[in-house]
Amino acid sequence: MGAEHGEGAPGYGVCSKIGENRMPPAIPACVLSTVPVLITPILAPVVRAMPLFAPAGITPRSLELALIGLIVVGALLAVILSRIGMRAYGEAGERERHLRLHADDSRRQAEEARGRLAAILDSMPDGAGAFDAEWRWLYLNPVAANALRKIGKDPDHVLGRVLWEVLPEIVGTPFHDAMLRAARERQFVEHLGCYEPTAMWLEHRVVPLPVGVVTFVRNVSERVRAQEARSRLAAIVEASDDAIVSKDFDGIIRSWNAGATRLFGWSALEAIGQSIDIIIPPGHEDEEQRILERLRGGKRIHHYETTRQHRDGSLVHVSLSISPIVDQTGRPVGAAKIARDISQRRRAEDALREETRVLATLQRIGSTVTAELDLPRLSRLVAEEATALVCGTLGAFFYRAPWTPEDQLLLAVAGASQLPASGVRLPRDIALLASVVSSGESIRIDDLQTPIALSLLAEGLPPAVAGASARSLLAVPIVSPSGTASGTVCLVHVLPAQFSERHERIAQGIASWAAVALDNARLYEAERQARAEAQIANRAKGDFLATMSHELRTPLNAIAGYTELLTIGVRGPLNESQHEYLTRIQRAQHELLSLINDVLNFAKIEGGHVHFAARDVTAREMLSGIDALFAPQLRARDIAYEWAAGDEDAVVHADPDKVRQVLLNLMSNAVKFTNPGGRIVARVAQQEGEVWISVTDTGVGVPADKLEHIFEPFVQLDRELTSGHDGTGLGLAISRDLARAMGGDITVGSTVGRGSTFTLVLPRVGL
């Protein structure tokens, strides 16, 4: 057997080769040489028995040879048949080997596929699980395992258990229904829903298998919230009153909301895909290109006011806010534009500007009109300005004169002519305007039933309007602040409906200025007459005072002369009583003469007859010697006097004599109203280009409500404060008038019971 197997092995190999090479078989010599040896023992008995059956004439040797031939042929046939069988057997083995290799390769590929599938499932971002027909858990990937841990389930104890037992809260939910439907209908089922236990939005996909199902679950909460946010944003965009449009950098519209449709007239279906040029008016193309260039650079544009075009060709005023749209890399790829309709605001602004212009014009007219005091010029100016502002054909100014209270006379016309028709009166000649005259209310008529001929108001009209009549009428009364109707401004136009409420307001504004101007003119005339009368009275008063002073000074001088003669003893020696009487007479004569001089000086100042010899002089020079003049009175009343060192060298430009007169008056009042034992201080100071010379006392003081009155002529303080101090009340009035005549003034500060400070203020020289 070992030899046979040893001989047979090369044959599986040869056969294998033959089988592999597919060539016809060849009988080897070794096989042919062994045939006699093998068949001789078999044929020997047959040969020995052949003579018994052989026909006559055939020898046994022939039969033996014939039989051997047959056997050889049979052997050859057997060999050939065996080779054919061996070949078939080899081919079957080869096929079996190939099948085994294919099966192994298929198993390997299946294992690899299962490995790849497991790796894919394990690496998926979705949670994946496999279930058999009984809904037992066969597999879950790491994402599903982590999800189970988050809800308190142990994934290691889930495999092999029924899904509904592990997660009973799913039963009855859309997730449960989707899995049952996929298993029942053997169809892929996809479902999106909120899983209540975790409040997460899940995308649930169920894939049926031949036995069981595979489920995939993805957490899409962020995506859903983003979609909701986008939906809310889209709803906001769509509901916005503003136009919200997006476009790419080629200017192609990509989105278009309802606000854009309302603003520009194009529907979203019509606009999307079109160039943004459909809303760019002619002349603004460069503006759009500049905007796109800024957006390409990532810059935003805020509240840019410009003009865009409606579908019907009308222009729309808009305020644009534009931001670049960027891709995931941050690169600008387009623009989002918000356009707000500001047409109404623009109209309001234009109206405001127009109103401002009108108000400025009215203010200018008011300044001009109120400054005009001549009635003819005033009436013509009002008529011209009113006609121009309301664009009337003709304007007329009617005036109610004091001597014609029932009628208003036509004083001026403007527009087509400046020649008023003579003798026209309101309301006698134009009955339509009777209500304006009687009620003082404006009237505005768009179409006159009884037109007013323009020739009724003006003479010398141009041929174009000579025969025309007014169709539109605007009449405004001129009412003074006191409520008195002073006249009427009448404006007409040859076309109907030409005057608006705005025109009426303008005309009323001009009429109010005209009323003020008429009042001013009347007041000016009354003041002029009063001033003329006052000047006549002042001249008469001045003449009277001058004459009176002259006539009084003559006997006073005689009294002074005779008293002096008696005092020196011309008529003999005098006793003590006589000296005392003469002293009293002299004192009274001096006081009376001082009063007369004050009155005369005041009259000269009021009459403008005072002469000033102004020059540069120092404060020291003006104050020099004043204290010596009052030394006897100061000693007699035990009043201390102090000269406070200061800016005595300050220089003023004034009349030294007039300044000394003022200072003497101030010192006299200080001595007069300072109680014995008091104090008077004089000082000089420089303040902002002025020289202040002040006299301060510790006298009775002046009440605050009396400070201004003490400078009025012939005014004295209450008797309880000034008892024992006589005077005319002209000293301070004369002093202030003199100071003001030299470019200065006198100020006062005082406290009752503590004293007063009177300050002479003069302009300083050298600035």
Side-chain angles (χ1 to χ4, degrees):
M1 288 297 292
E4 290 176 2
H5 284 290
E7 293 174 0
Y12 178 80
V14 170
C15 290
S16 296
K17 247 178 211 189
I18 292 173
E20 289 175 3
N21 294 329
R22 299 184 182 275
M23 295 180 61
I27 302 175
C30 61
V31 175
L32 295 177
S33 63
T34 59
V35 171
V37 178
L38 293 173
I39 66 173
T40 296
I42 298 172
L43 295 178
V46 176
V47 171
R48 284 193 298 269
M50 286 296 294
L52 297 177
F53 302 99
I58 298 175
T59 63
R61 183 62 178 170
S62 299
L63 289 172
E64 182 180 358
L65 291 173
L67 188 57
I68 290 171
L70 289 172
I71 292 170
V72 170
V73 171
L76 289 174
L77 290 173
V79 170
I80 292 171
L81 291 175
S82 66
R83 294 295 292 173
I84 293 172
M86 289 297 293
R87 179 180 178 183
Y89 176 76
E91 290 178 352
E94 185 67 18
R95 282 197 300 274
E96 182 181 358
R97 185 176 68 82
H98 280 295
L99 288 174
R100 282 199 303 272
L101 291 175
H102 181 69
D104 292 342
D105 186 59
S106 297
R107 282 193 298 273
R108 186 177 65 257
Q109 290 179 359
E111 290 297 328
E112 290 177 353
R114 280 195 294 272
R116 286 195 300 272
L117 179 60
I120 291 171
L121 292 176
D122 288 347
S123 62
M124 284 183 65
D126 301 345
F131 306 90
D132 62 13
E134 301 299 326
W135 297 104
R136 284 187 292 269
W137 221 310
L138 302 178
Y139 166 82
L140 71 161
N141 70 345
V143 175
N146 288 333
L148 289 174
R149 291 189 187 97
K150 290 180 179 179
I151 60 174
K153 308 294 183 180
D154 186 357
D156 296 334
H157 296 82
V158 166
L159 296 178
R161 297 181 60 188
V162 176
L163 171 63
W164 322 126
E165 295 176 356
V166 176
L167 299 174
E169 61 271 15
I170 292 181
V171 177
T173 66
F175 298 96
H176 178 245
D177 296 341
M179 297 178 73
L180 294 180
R181 184 158 62 89
R184 182 177 62 252
E185 299 177 1
R186 314 306 300 167
Q187 291 182 355
F188 171 78
V189 176
E190 187 173 15
H191 166 255
L192 176 66
C194 181
Y195 185 57
E196 296 297 336
T198 59
M200 291 189 299
W201 283 89
L202 302 178
E203 188 177 69
H204 184 211
R205 298 185 298 277
V206 187
V207 181
L209 298 176
V211 178
V213 297
V214 176
T215 64
F216 301 92
V217 179
R218 175 178 295 179
N219 183 0
V220 293
S221 299
E222 291 186 3
R223 189 183 74 189
V224 170
R225 284 192 289 269
Q227 288 175 344
E228 290 177 347
R230 285 195 295 270
S231 299
R232 286 194 297 270
L233 179 60
I236 292 172
V237 168
E238 193 62 22
S240 174
D241 290 334
D242 296 335
I244 302 178
V245 178
S246 66
K247 60 185 178 182
D248 57 27
F249 282 140
D250 292 328
I252 303 302
I253 299 171
R254 297 304 179 190
S255 67
W256 184 273
N257 75 335
T261 299
R262 289 190 295 271
L263 184 59
F264 300 117
W266 300 89
S267 68
L269 187 61
E270 294 169 325
I272 294 176
Q274 295 288 330
S275 171
I276 197 67
D277 291 341
I278 63 174
I279 63 171
I280 305 299
H284 287 254
E285 296 82 3
D286 293 342
E287 174 189 85
E288 184 67 15
Q289 291 304 317
R290 290 195 301 271
I291 290 175
L292 290 176
E293 286 301 321
R294 291 194 62 183
L295 294 172
R296 287 190 182 96
K299 296 180 180 179
R300 295 185 177 189
I301 298 173
H302 297 285
H303 307 301
Y304 176 70
E305 295 188 4
T306 184
T307 304
R308 290 295 179 259
Q309 184 169 284
H310 191 272
R311 182 174 186 172
D312 60 10
S314 62
L315 296 180
V316 181
H317 296 288
V318 296
S319 174
L320 301 180
S321 294
I322 313 174
S323 301
I325 300 175
V326 298
D327 59 14
Q328 295 179 348
T329 65
R331 181 175 61 90
V333 295
K337 176 188 297 184
I338 300 176
R340 174 164 295 177
D341 186 0
I342 60 172
S343 299
Q344 186 173 359
R345 193 195 81 191
R346 278 292 187 89
R347 286 191 292 270
E349 289 176 350
D350 292 343
L352 181 60
R353 278 193 294 271
E354 178 62 19
E355 287 297 321
T356 303
R357 185 189 69 81
V358 170
L359 288 176
T361 303
L362 289 176
Q363 187 66 32
R364 177 185 59 79
I365 294 172
S367 300
T368 305
V369 168
T370 53
E372 182 58 66
L373 300 175
D374 181 73
L375 184 58
R377 288 197 300 268
L378 171 63
S379 60
R380 184 175 298 108
L381 178 62
V382 171
E384 290 174 352
E385 294 290 356
T387 305
L389 275 179
V390 303
C391 302
T393 304
L394 201 69
F397 184 99
F398 292 90
Y399 174 66
R400 172 180 283 175
W403 56 89
T404 59
E406 299 300 326
D407 293 326
Q408 296 184 19
L409 302 177
L410 177 62
L411 290 189
V413 293
S417 170
Q418 291 190 352
L419 299 175
S422 59
V424 179
R425 299 168 180 265
L426 290 184
R428 184 185 305 172
D429 297 320
I430 306 178
L432 184 64
L433 301 179
S435 61
V436 180
V437 176
S438 61
S439 67
E441 299 290 337
S442 303
I443 64 170
R444 175 164 50 91
I445 301 176
D446 289 337
D447 195 357
L448 291 169
Q449 297 299 321
T450 304
I452 300 173
L454 298 186
S455 59
L456 177 64
L457 300 174
E459 295 179 352
L461 291 172
V465 294
S469 297
R471 298 289 303 278
S472 300
L473 171 69
L474 174 59
V476 178
I478 302 173
V479 181
S480 67
S482 62
T484 304
S486 303
T488 301
V489 177
C490 181
L491 303 165
V492 297
H493 201 286
V494 294
L495 298 177
Q498 293 300 303
F499 300 128
S500 64
E501 183 179 350
R502 174 174 167 273
H503 291 141
E504 184 175 348
R505 292 198 307 271
I506 293 173
Q508 288 172 343
I510 296 176
S512 64
W513 283 118
V516 173
L518 289 175
D519 279 354
N520 289 344
R522 283 194 292 266
L523 291 174
Y524 172 75
E525 182 61 25
E527 189 272 337
R528 187 185 64 80
Q529 292 179 358
R531 187 169 58 249
E533 293 174 358
Q535 288 175 351
I536 294 173
N538 277 336
R539 283 195 297 270
K541 182 185 69 175
D543 294 342
F544 169 76
L545 290 176
T547 303
M548 189 77 170
S549 298
H550 176 73
E551 295 298 331
L552 290 175
R553 286 163 70 111
T554 300
L556 284 176
N557 288 333
I559 292 172
Y562 284 113
T563 303
E564 184 68 26
L565 291 175
L566 291 175
T567 301
I568 63 177
V570 172
R571 294 297 180 178
L574 302 175
N575 58 32
E576 185 176 349
S577 297
Q578 291 172 337
H579 271 291
E580 182 180 353
Y581 293 154
L582 290 175
T583 301
R584 290 181 181 179
I585 293 172
Q586 286 179 331
R587 187 182 305 118
Q589 184 270 337
H590 285 305
E591 290 180 357
L592 184 57
L593 183 61
S594 176
L595 292 175
I596 293 173
N597 287 334
D598 285 345
V599 172
L600 185 59
N601 288 334
F602 181 72
K604 288 181 179 180
I605 292 174
E606 279 203 332
H609 302 306
V610 178
H611 174 70
F612 291 89
R615 62 181 178 85
D616 293 347
V617 59
T618 64
R620 185 188 305 276
E621 180 182 348
M622 292 183 293
L623 287 167
S624 176
I626 288 182
D627 55 341
L629 293 175
F630 290 95
Q633 299 178 43
L634 294 173
R635 284 195 301 270
R637 297 176 59 82
D638 191 22
I639 297 175
Y641 175 78
E642 178 185 354
W643 171 265
D647 299 324
E648 294 83 0
D649 295 327
V651 180
V652 298
H653 186 75
D655 186 332
D657 294 335
K658 301 301 187 294
V659 173
R660 285 178 64 85
Q661 182 179 347
V662 172
L663 293 177
L664 288 171
N665 198 348
L666 297 181
M667 279 293 297
S668 175
N669 285 341
V671 173
K672 184 188 303 183
F673 292 102
T674 300
N675 295 324
R679 182 182 183 84
I680 297 176
V681 178
R683 59 171 55 87
V684 180
Q686 299 185 69
Q687 298 280 344
E688 298 180 356
E690 296 176 335
V691 175
W692 291 12
I693 305 174
S694 61
V695 177
T696 303
D697 62 58
T698 57
V700 295
V702 182
D705 59 341
K706 305 290 186 180
L707 289 177
E708 284 301 317
H709 296 294
I710 62 176
F711 291 100
E712 296 177 6
F714 306 106
V715 172
Q716 291 183 319
L717 296 180
D718 296 338
R719 287 298 177 185
E720 59 269 18
L721 295 177
T722 62
S723 59
H725 307 292
D726 297 328
T728 60
L730 290 173
L732 288 176
I734 293 173
S735 298
R736 173 175 274 188
D737 287 344
L738 291 175
R740 289 179 174 176
M742 293 183 289
D745 202 354
I746 293 179
T747 62
V748 62
S750 183
T751 303
V752 175
R754 298 184 59 182
S756 305
T757 298
F758 287 83
T759 303
L760 171 62
V761 181
L762 294 171
R764 183 161 63 94
V765 174
L767 293 179

